[in-house]
Amino acid sequence: MKLMKTEDAVGQVLCHDITQIIRGVTKDAVFRKGHVITEEDIPVLLSVGKEHVYIWEKDENMLHENEAADILRQICQSDGMHATEPKEGKIELIADTDGLLMVNLEGLRAVNELGDMMIAARTSGFPVKKGDKLCGTRVIPLVIGKERMALARQAAGSKPLLKLYPMKPKTYGVVTTGSEVFYGRIEDTFTPVIEEKLKEYGCEMKLHQTVSDDPEEIVRAICQMRDAGLDMIFCTGGMSVDPDDRTPLAIRRSGAHIVSYGAPVLPGAMFLMAYLEDGRPVCGLPGCVMYAKRTIFDLVLPRLLADVPVTARWLAGLGNGGLCLNCPECHFPNCGFGKGV
């Protein structure tokens, strides 16, 4: 770049966007990078406070901000998203479909730690809709060395930093446990809550069984749903540490591999995550899912529908951000619940 007095810049090529801000009216570029300055442009440039402008002097070792932002875009972009045109050195990625956004957090941090550049993304692990903004990329200076952008590629790794997983409607079964429900002493108010949550994602309940606290009965119900080919199995009731609460034992006896019994989330501490040998999930849902508006179930469910593994490490990380504040007016997912990972 070369700094030149605006009145002397006629015929020169502008090397960056010139932004005009009029409060309540506009914030946009009046001249774009690459614009050849004319005599008529001088008063406009002066009116936006540009008594000097940078004009482009080609250097094979340097990149313009738009070119560098496009490299950051390449580092981030994968299937199911498209990029906007560069504007004032910034490029955004937009979702082409509904799905679960997953971000390589280590790669993202590594790129942002380089300085001189930035990638700002939506929170990883949350659903997005078609048309949602996923991230924005830009470099801080107007020009940047090619070697710096090579370092960015290296820091990010070989795979795109962003991935959009389609969330597919699935079939599921519910095993309601507890003698109080089995013998009709109280009404089952848990299953309707599950149905309502799953309906939002187009899922269908194919089987529902109510059994007593006998572990063998719970095992038989789980195995029947497994053999029926259901995509997901949810067990309700009997998830506490009381002596007669046997659901975790039954899930283990069914042959499912226990990922974690317990999660650092409130509401949702007694949640159990398990997988059958073929990868189908079996979940033990704590009682809070029945009465609390948002719980661990809201954080886990999108991953189940997108076939993103729920791991013990991920669950452990939910402790940072895992405390729901039970706000009088719930704004989830536009809040901090579950967003500390």
Side-chain angles (χ1 to χ4, degrees), residues 118-337:
M118 56 76 65
I119 301 168
R122 291 176 80 105
T123 303
S124 180
F126 281 80
V128 297
K129 295 287 188 182
K130 179 180 179 180
D132 280 353
K133 188 187 304 182
L134 304 180
C135 79
T137 71
R138 75 179 307 166
V139 294
I140 308 306
L142 291 171
V143 293
I144 191 170
K146 289 182 178 180
E147 78 284 353
R148 297 288 294 159
M149 301 314 299
L151 286 175
R153 289 187 186 275
Q154 182 179 351
S158 58
K159 296 181 180 179
L161 294 183
L162 272 60
K163 186 158 185 177
L164 197 54
Y165 290 84
M167 292 195 300
K168 299 164 249 178
K170 297 191 175 190
T171 60
Y172 67 96
V174 176
V175 181
T176 300
T177 71
S179 59
E180 68 276 22
V181 180
F182 182 72
Y183 291 110
R185 298 180 185 126
I186 66 169
E187 181 184 355
D188 173 19
T189 56
F190 207 144
T191 303
V193 172
I194 297 175
E195 287 185 277
E196 184 177 351
K197 283 188 180 292
L198 272 293
K199 191 184 298 182
E200 295 178 23
Y201 297 98
C203 298
E204 182 180 359
M205 183 171 69
K206 291 290 190 179
L207 285 175
H208 177 215
Q209 287 199 36
T210 302
V211 297
S212 70
D213 291 309
D214 182 350
E216 294 308 315
E217 289 187 26
I218 304 172
V219 170
R220 281 194 292 271
I222 293 172
C223 291
Q224 180 182 351
M225 294 179 183
R226 175 200 64 195
D227 296 341
L230 301 187
D231 297 320
M232 303 180 294
I233 302 170
F234 302 112
C235 299
T236 69
M239 288 303 302
S240 76
V241 293
D242 293 341
D244 56 350
D245 282 342
R246 307 293 181 84
T247 304
L249 173 64
I251 293 175
R252 184 176 286 108
R253 287 183 179 177
S254 74
H257 167 68
I258 306 295
V259 173
S260 177
Y261 177 27
V265 175
L266 291 172
M270 305 306 293
F271 172 76
L272 186 149
M273 185 69 231
Y275 284 98
L276 298 171
E277 287 186 1
D278 58 8
R280 285 180 290 168
V282 180
C283 298
L285 302 183
C288 62
V289 175
M290 175 173 53
Y291 61 81
K293 187 169 181 62
R294 298 298 177 184
T295 69
I296 179 68
F297 194 37
D298 296 284
L299 305 179
V300 169
L301 183 56
R303 287 178 175 250
L304 301 182
L305 300 179
D307 295 320
V308 173
V310 176
T311 65
R313 179 177 177 82
W314 176 73
L315 286 168
L318 287 175
N320 180 28
L323 179 64
C324 177
L325 299 181
N326 298 309
C327 302
E329 186 177 351
C330 179
H331 295 286
F332 181 84
N334 299 319
C335 68
F337 182 50

Side-chain angles (χ1 to χ4, degrees), residues 14-184:
L14 199 60
C15 73
H16 61 99
D17 294 348
I18 299 291
T19 301
Q20 181 183 54
I21 302 175
I22 302 175
R23 184 180 178 187
V25 178
T26 184
K27 179 186 180 295
D28 202 357
V30 287
F31 298 111
R32 298 286 186 190
K33 165 219 170 185
H35 176 75
V36 179
I37 300 172
T38 67
E39 193 71 45
E40 291 76 19
D41 298 333
I42 303 302
V44 180
L45 289 167
L46 294 174
S47 73
V48 295
K50 297 298 179 184
E51 296 187 358
H52 295 81
V53 292
Y54 283 100
I55 56 96
W56 186 250
E57 289 187 314
K58 189 63 176 176
D59 184 336
E60 294 302 323
N61 297 316
M62 304 295 288
L63 293 170
H64 183 271
E65 59 178 354
N66 284 353
E67 298 170 302
D70 190 58
I71 291 175
L72 295 177
R73 186 273 308 166
Q74 295 169 29
I75 287 172
C76 294
Q77 188 173 4
S78 60
D79 294 340
M81 57 190 77
H82 70 273
T84 61
E85 290 297 319
K87 182 178 179 182
E88 298 176 306
K90 180 173 67 176
I91 297 176
E92 296 175 342
L93 290 177
I94 310 297
D96 291 331
T97 183
D98 296 355
L100 180 71
L101 176 66
M102 298 297 294
V103 182
N104 176 348
L105 300 179
E106 291 185 4
L108 180 69
R109 182 185 294 272
V111 173
N112 285 331
E113 283 180 338
L114 291 173
D116 296 338
M117 63 192 75
M118 56 76 65
I119 301 168
R122 291 176 80 105
T123 303
S124 180
F126 281 80
V128 297
K129 295 287 188 182
K130 179 180 179 180
D132 280 353
K133 188 187 304 182
L134 304 180
C135 79
T137 71
R138 75 179 307 166
V139 294
I140 308 306
L142 291 171
V143 293
I144 191 170
K146 289 182 178 180
E147 78 284 353
R148 297 288 294 159
M149 301 314 299
L151 286 175
R153 289 187 186 275
Q154 182 179 351
S158 58
K159 296 181 180 179
L161 294 183
L162 272 60
K163 186 158 185 177
L164 197 54
Y165 290 84
M167 292 195 300
K168 299 164 249 178
K170 297 191 175 190
T171 60
Y172 67 96
V174 176
V175 181
T176 300
T177 71
S179 59
E180 68 276 22
V181 180
F182 182 72
Y183 291 110

